[in-house]
Amino acid sequence: MREATVAAEMLVGVGDGPGIKLALQQSGLLTAAFRVAHQAPDPRDLLRCLVTIGQADLSAGRIFEGHVNAVKLLLLHDAPASSDEHYGLYGIWGADGSSPVRIEDRRLRGYKLFASGADILDHVILSATTEEGIQLLLVPTSSLQDRLYPEEWRMSGMHATASGRCDLEGLSLDHAVFLGEPGAYLQEPYFQGGVWRYAAVQLGAMQALTAITRDQLRRRDQLGAPIQLMRLKAMTLACETVRLWLEQAALATERVDAVEGDSLSSIFARLQTQQEAMKVLGLADEAMGAASFAIGHPAEKIRRDLGLYLRQANPDGMALDAMQRLLASQELSSRWIP
């Protein structure tokens, strides 16, 4: 997608949320997401788009992937997009704090953590607990004034995502749009079946780190050194392994007739991405040495951002659940362990 290439070029040197939002808007990428977020004719278009943004900047990739996730939910539940869909930036906040978000008497209670893009989103989809199940709500961030705390994001990586806290205690539902029925959010293959998308962003960072390693070895005239060449080979194969897993996942989960079991393709692709990405991080460190740890070195930021991003969303629990589902189903077992 041309819009992704333009956005990636505009993201060079951008280091904050407002700059990321401007690049995504002006490139046309936010609007393009409405074409590819849900059951696109060729899901590989979305895959390439996510990878391209991930190559440019992981924080931008995280924010854009959240936009894609939110847009997919809007399309999946036939929700009317706002009148500013060509300019608006959407996101989805699912992580609860110690007081989980819930609906009581037409008001929200509790708060969200890891509210990515808290300082730049125009609209956000929130998950809230009800007696009938988890309910999705679309709210304008203009209704969240004085409730957002992006300054509380004090992690070593992914700085520009401003993934702070959102205090929803007592918020009226007057401006909220209910998306789907309670429990629909957890429907597969659309819930965990979507984790391939943020793994695609991570693949972009893996590819960028591999290119940085190659370039530094070339400048040092070390591309002919057998051990360095083997490191670069292993990084290259790790990236291609992930790309193939993600392509399979995208094609499986984004087809019109996708079924619940297809979500395993996405989960396994996400888990394999983590494994291969950790390998790439280690090999890059070995190949480039201490120089790449210098603040300002292009590998240093990727290392911090990717190391944090890979920890997203309970991979151990995801792996355990996936294998339990696989072994409990003869159909899934025959697919993965013939």
Side-chain angles (χ1 to χ4, degrees):
M1 289 172 59
R2 180 179 178 278
E3 294 91 343
T5 302
V6 172
E9 293 172 350
M10 295 177 67
L11 285 166
V12 175
V14 171
D16 60 14
I20 288 173
K21 181 178 181 178
L22 186 64
L24 297 178
Q25 282 179 324
Q26 293 188 346
S27 66
L29 197 54
L30 298 185
T31 303
F34 282 83
R35 302 197 307 267
V36 299
H38 181 53
Q39 297 177 346
D42 188 349
R44 289 169 293 192
D45 289 339
L46 178 57
L47 170 60
R48 287 187 286 266
C49 183
L50 292 164
V51 171
T52 298
I53 301 302
Q55 288 172 340
D57 185 274
L58 274 175
S59 289
R62 174 66 188 92
I63 290 171
F64 177 64
E65 190 277 327
H67 175 78
V68 170
N69 192 359
V71 167
K72 183 178 181 68
L73 289 170
L74 292 177
L75 298 174
L76 188 62
H77 297 294
D78 297 319
S82 71
S83 59
D84 65 342
E85 72 173 60
H86 293 283
Y87 305 97
L89 178 59
Y90 290 76
I92 177 167
W93 299 340
D96 287 311
S98 58
S99 176
V101 174
R102 57 200 182 278
I103 299 175
E104 294 180 359
D105 300 324
R106 291 290 299 175
R107 290 187 179 275
L108 291 178
R109 305 294 178 186
Y111 62 93
K112 291 292 184 182
L113 294 177
F114 308 120
S116 294
D119 58 343
I120 59 173
L121 294 183
D122 299 299
H123 317 273
V124 63
I125 295 176
L126 304 168
S127 59
T129 300
T130 70
E131 292 182 357
E132 293 78 25
I134 295 178
Q135 176 68 56
L136 291 179
L137 304 167
L138 175 66
V139 301
T141 52
S142 59
S143 67
L144 303 177
Q145 292 182 8
D146 301 321
R147 293 176 174 272
L148 300 172
Y149 300 91
E151 69 278 3
E152 294 184 7
W153 181 246
R154 300 184 182 278
M155 307 296 281
S156 62
M158 305 292 282
H159 290 163
T161 62
S163 301
R165 176 172 57 95
C166 178
D167 183 0
L168 297 166
E169 187 67 32
L171 181 69
S172 170
L173 296 181
D174 290 346
H175 300 291
V177 175
F178 283 60
L179 301 180
E181 298 296 325
Y185 178 43
L186 302 182
Q187 179 184 355
E188 297 293 1
Y190 307 115
F191 181 56
Q192 288 187 329
V195 298
W196 74 265
R197 293 191 298 269
Y198 65 76
V201 177
Q202 294 163 355
L203 170 59
M206 292 169 60
Q207 292 177 341
L209 192 57
T210 301
I212 291 168
T213 303
R214 175 203 60 201
D215 294 345
Q216 180 157 314
L217 293 179
R218 178 178 290 136
R219 288 193 299 271
R220 292 176 171 178
D221 197 24
Q222 292 182 339
L223 282 179
I227 293 179
Q228 294 286 45
L229 203 58
M230 289 301 98
R231 287 174 177 138
L232 192 59
K233 180 268 296 182
M235 295 172 73
T236 302
L237 294 185
C239 290
E240 182 62 7
T241 296
V242 169
R243 189 193 67 80
L244 292 170
W245 270 98
L246 292 174
E247 181 175 296
Q248 174 185 247
L251 292 172
T253 59
E254 293 300 321
R255 58 194 177 91
V256 175
D257 57 347
V259 296
E260 179 181 352
D262 290 325
S263 63
L264 288 187
S265 293
S266 186
I267 294 170
F268 290 152
R270 179 262 180 268
L271 295 171
Q272 191 67 29
T273 299
Q274 181 182 29
Q275 181 174 311
E276 300 295 336
M278 294 302 296
K279 183 190 303 181
V280 166
L281 284 166
L283 289 166
D285 286 348
E286 293 173 3
M288 291 187 285
S292 65
F293 284 79
I295 295 174
H297 191 287
E300 190 269 338
K301 182 176 183 295
I302 293 176
R303 179 189 295 106
R304 284 187 287 107
D305 289 350
L306 183 57
L308 175 60
Y309 201 176
L310 289 171
R311 269 63 188 178
Q312 177 169 333
N314 187 18
D316 288 347
M318 188 181 297
L320 181 62
D321 176 69
M323 288 306 300
Q324 288 174 338
R325 288 169 54 196
L326 186 156
L327 295 175
S329 166
Q330 183 176 355
E331 180 181 355
L332 291 176
S333 292
S334 63
R335 160 67 176 87
W336 292 102
I337 313 176

